Amino acid sequence: MFENAFNNIDRAMRNDEGLASELDYAEQTSWLLFLKYLDDFEAEMEDEAELEGREYRPILDPQYRWDVWAAPKKDTGEIDHQIAMTGQDLVDFVNSDLFPYLKTFNGDATDPDTIEYKVGEIFTEIINRFRSGYSLREVIDIVDTLDFGSSKAKHELSDLYETRIKRMGNAGRNGGEYYTPRPLIRAMIKVVDPKIGETIYDGAAGSAGFLCEAFEYLRRPDLSAAEWDILQRKTFYGQEKKSLAYVLGVMNMILHGIEAPQIRHTNTLTENVMDIQQADRHDIVLANPPFGGGERKEVQQNFPIKSGETAYLFMQHFIRKLKAGGRGAVVIKNTFLSNTDNASVELRKELLTSCNLHTVLDCPGGTFQGAGVKTVVLFFEKGAPTRQVWYYQLDPGRSMGKTNPLNDADLAEFVALQPDKADSAKSWTVSVDDLDKATWDLSVRNPTAPEEAPLRAPEQIITDMLSRDEETRMILEEIRGML
C-alpha cells in the first residue's frame, strides 16, 4: 500500500513545474511527511494525557494543524474537499501563513533536542517548491493516507524513504553525499558493537544512515522501558551542515522510530577542537565525512593540523570527540593512507600515536556510486597507541555499480575474520615498528597478492610497437597479393 502511495506522490510531483529532480521530490515529500507525522504524534500525546487525567498542550496552534488546513474530515473520515483548500489558495496559505508561522519555532524553542526545535529548524531551511496548488492538494491527499501509528507502518515507510534517499545519489547537486551503502554501515556497526547505555555520534550525519542503522542494531523486543527511553533520548547524536540533508536525517530517524532526533543543524567544523570538554565526548563515532571540499582559513584555525581537505578536519574532530576507550569507524579516501603532504603525514602520526588503529577495511572501486574515488574504513580505539594494523582487502569478485551494488554477503567474511584479525588471502597484519617514521605510510599492500609484472622501459615499448606495425604491413601486402 505504502509503495503505491509513494509512486503516486512521485507521479503528482512530476506534473508540477516547480519540482525538477529527485532531490526536490525528497525535500518536498519530507516536509509534508513531517507535518503528517507531527499530527499523528500530537493525537497520540492527547490520547495518553486524557487517559492519565492530565492536560496536553498541542505544539501547533489549531489553524496550523494538519487536520485543519491540510485534511479536514467529514464524519465518514474522508477529506472534506468542500472546505479543504486547493489551487492558488492552498499555495498562498502555505507560503504566506503556514511556513512563516512554523519558522517562529526556531526562536521560541530553547532545547535543540525537542520536537519544537526541529519544527523551527526544518521550516527555516526549506521552502515550498510547489507552484500548482492542485499538485500540492493531490500529494496532501496521498500523504494523509499514510499511518504513523504502528511500528510496522513506520518500518515500511522507513524502507521506502531510504530507497528515495538512495535514488538521490544519482540525481546531481551532491545527492550522493547523503547516502552511504547500508551493507557497509551495518558491517561497521557489527565491528564496533555498540551497547545500550553508550552514546553514538556522527558529526557529518547526512541522512542519518549510521544513526538509524545503529538504532536497528540495538533495538530488541525485550527492552525494558528504561532501556527504550535511553535509546530514544540518550544514545544518538548528530550534526549536519546542509539544509536538505538535515531535513532528510530528521525525517529518516523519525520513520525509524526515534521520536525527537538529536540532530543539530550546524557546521561541525566551526567548533574549535581544543574547546571540546569531557561532557561533549561520546563512546562511539560512526561517520562518512564529505571528501574534498575546502574549508575557509578561519575554519582551519579550529584545528592543530591545518588542511583544506574537509575529511582531515573531521578526523581531528572525531578523535577528540571520543572518550578515552571510545571506538570509531570512519570512511575516508584511501589516499589518506599514503599522501606525503604535511597534513596527511601529521594526521596519520596523530591517529597512530593517540589511538589504536586496529583495522583498515579496503573497499573496492564502485562501493560509493558516482563518487569516483576509492575508500577505506578506519577502525580505531582512543587512548593507546597502535602496535599493529590488520588489513582486509574487500573483493566481491565482480565490478561494482548501480545495478550491482555492495550487499551484506560481500562483507560477511570481513565481519567473521575481524574479531580474531586472522590472516587470509585477503587479510594481513602490519607492525607499526616496520613503518617509515618519516612518512607513517599506511598504504594497502597485500603481501599474498601475486607480484605484477615489471613495467616495460619506454624504449622497449617503442620497439614492440614498430615490430607490430611491420607485421601488420606484411600481412596487408599478402592480402593485396591475393586480390
Side-chain angles (χ1 to χ4, degrees):
M1 180 185 79
F2 293 144
E3 185 171 5
N4 287 336
F6 269 62
N7 290 337
N8 290 334
I9 288 171
D10 283 350
R11 195 174 299 112
M13 286 184 169
R14 290 190 195 101
N15 293 328
D16 193 286
E17 293 180 359
L19 309 178
S21 71
E22 291 284 355
L23 279 82
D24 292 334
Y25 300 164
E27 178 188 56
Q28 299 303 296
T29 303
S30 295
W31 73 259
L32 287 165
L33 285 174
F34 180 81
L35 290 180
K36 175 60 167 67
Y37 161 78
L38 185 59
D39 190 65
D40 289 356
F41 174 79
E42 293 233 73
E44 186 179 336
M45 293 298 101
E46 283 181 320
D47 289 344
E48 284 187 13
E50 186 175 348
L51 287 172
E52 295 172 5
R54 55 183 174 81
E55 185 179 353
Y56 174 76
R57 182 183 176 187
I59 296 169
L60 303 183
D61 291 343
Q63 65 269 37
Y64 299 107
R65 297 187 67 172
W66 179 270
D67 61 357
V68 174
W69 73 267
K73 299 292 197 307
K74 301 177 182 177
D75 293 338
T76 59
E78 298 174 343
I79 293 179
D80 188 345
H81 287 100
Q82 294 296 321
I83 60 174
M85 289 181 286
T86 192
Q88 194 59 44
D89 289 343
L90 178 57
V91 171
D92 289 344
F93 172 79
V94 169
N95 292 340
S96 302
D97 292 315
L98 179 65
F99 271 51
Y101 166 73
L102 296 174
K103 288 177 183 179
T104 64
F105 283 77
N106 202 38
D108 296 341
T110 56
D111 184 351
D113 297 330
T114 61
I115 196 75
E116 289 88 347
Y117 179 87
K118 301 296 180 290
V119 171
E121 281 294 289
I122 287 173
F123 290 94
T124 298
E125 295 302 330
I126 64 174
I127 62 172
N128 169 40
R129 297 185 186 276
F130 283 92
R131 293 183 186 174
S132 167
Y134 298 103
S135 296
L136 178 54
R137 165 51 55 197
E138 188 176 352
V139 175
I140 287 173
D141 289 355
I142 299 167
V143 170
D144 188 63
T145 66
L146 304 178
D147 176 22
F148 292 87
S150 70
S151 58
K152 181 181 179 182
K154 282 184 182 177
H155 182 75
E156 186 175 346
L157 282 167
S158 68
D159 285 346
L160 290 167
Y161 196 72
E162 286 272 357
T163 300
R164 170 152 293 189
I165 296 170
K166 185 177 181 179
R167 291 207 316 249
M168 289 171 53
N170 297 316
R173 285 165 52 189
N174 298 320
E177 288 184 11
Y178 311 143
Y179 194 83
T180 304
R182 293 329 187 227
L184 180 62
I185 292 178
R186 287 191 284 270
M188 293 166 65
I189 292 170
K190 287 175 183 175
V191 170
V192 172
D193 190 24
K195 302 288 191 297
I196 290 178
E198 293 182 320
T199 59
I200 302 171
Y201 172 72
D202 183 353
S207 58
F210 284 96
L211 300 178
C212 290
E213 289 293 341
F215 176 73
E216 294 296 335
Y217 182 83
L218 287 169
R219 70 188 304 183
R220 303 188 313 269
D222 62 340
L223 291 177
S224 67
E227 288 174 325
W228 181 252
D229 186 66
I230 288 171
L231 275 189
Q232 281 285 335
R233 306 182 186 282
K234 302 175 184 177
T235 300
F236 305 104
Y237 300 85
Q239 298 187 160
E240 174 52 43
K241 171 183 177 181
K242 294 189 175 181
S243 303
L244 176 55
Y246 171 79
V247 174
L248 295 173
V250 168
M251 198 65 234
N252 203 14
M253 292 186 74
I254 284 173
L255 288 174
H256 276 80
I258 302 170
E259 292 176 355
Q262 298 186 62
I263 301 179
R264 301 188 180 187
H265 185 217
T266 184
N267 183 356
T268 296
L269 301 182
T270 58
E271 180 180 1
N272 191 318
V273 295
M274 306 312 294
D275 294 336
I276 295 174
Q277 304 296 314
Q278 181 61 24
D280 305 321
R281 296 190 171 101
H282 298 280
D283 299 290
I284 292 169
V285 165
L286 294 165
N288 176 17
F291 309 142
E295 289 292 343
R296 302 183 307 275
K297 292 291 185 183
E298 60 266 30
V299 172
Q300 295 183 36
Q301 296 307 311
N302 293 322
F303 301 88
I305 301 173
K306 311 296 186 289
S307 175
E309 169 57 68
T310 305
Y312 289 9
L313 303 180
F314 270 107
M315 274 299 300
Q316 295 177 69
H317 174 83
F318 292 144
I319 290 171
R320 287 162 179 79
K321 273 296 231 184
L322 277 176
K323 296 177 181 178
R327 312 185 294 288
V330 178
V331 180
I332 199 166
K333 284 193 296 187
N334 72 341
T335 52
F336 164 73
L337 301 177
S338 58
N339 281 350
T340 56
D341 60 282
N342 290 337
S344 298
V345 173
E346 285 301 310
L347 186 52
R348 287 197 296 270
K349 179 181 178 181
E350 177 177 331
L351 179 61
L352 291 168
T353 54
S354 66
C355 299
N356 175 22
L357 176 64
H358 56 81
T359 299
V360 173
L361 171 62
D362 181 44
C363 299
T367 297
F368 290 84
Q369 296 171 24
V373 296
K374 280 200 65 179
T375 57
V376 294
V377 184
L378 309 177
F379 296 86
F380 52 94
E381 296 178 2
K382 185 176 177 180
T386 306
R387 300 300 180 194
Q388 56 186 25
V389 183
W390 183 71
Y391 290 79
Y392 184 91
Q393 198 163 38
L394 183 61
D395 179 12
R398 66 184 190 283
S399 296
M400 309 288 289
K402 183 178 178 180
T403 59
N404 220 341
L406 195 71
N407 59 54
D408 290 296
D410 294 328
L411 290 145
E413 183 184 71
F414 164 70
V415 173
L417 293 178
Q418 197 281 331
D420 296 326
K421 300 176 178 59
D423 289 347
S424 70
K426 299 178 184 178
S427 59
W428 65 97
T429 301
V430 172
S431 172
V432 169
D433 292 338
D434 296 333
L435 297 180
D436 181 352
K437 301 305 186 294
T439 63
W440 300 92
D441 192 316
L442 291 167
S443 298
V444 177
R445 300 187 184 93
N446 188 344
T448 66
E451 291 189 15
E452 296 182 359
L455 296 175
R456 292 175 294 167
E459 296 84 355
Q460 183 63 46
I461 293 173
I462 293 172
T463 300
D464 291 345
M465 290 174 68
L466 290 173
S467 175
R468 288 197 181 93
D469 286 346
E470 179 61 22
E471 289 176 10
T472 302
R473 188 191 66 78
M474 292 175 64
I475 292 170
L476 290 174
E477 286 293 341
E478 287 181 17
I479 294 172
R480 182 157 57 180
M482 295 177 186
L483 298 176

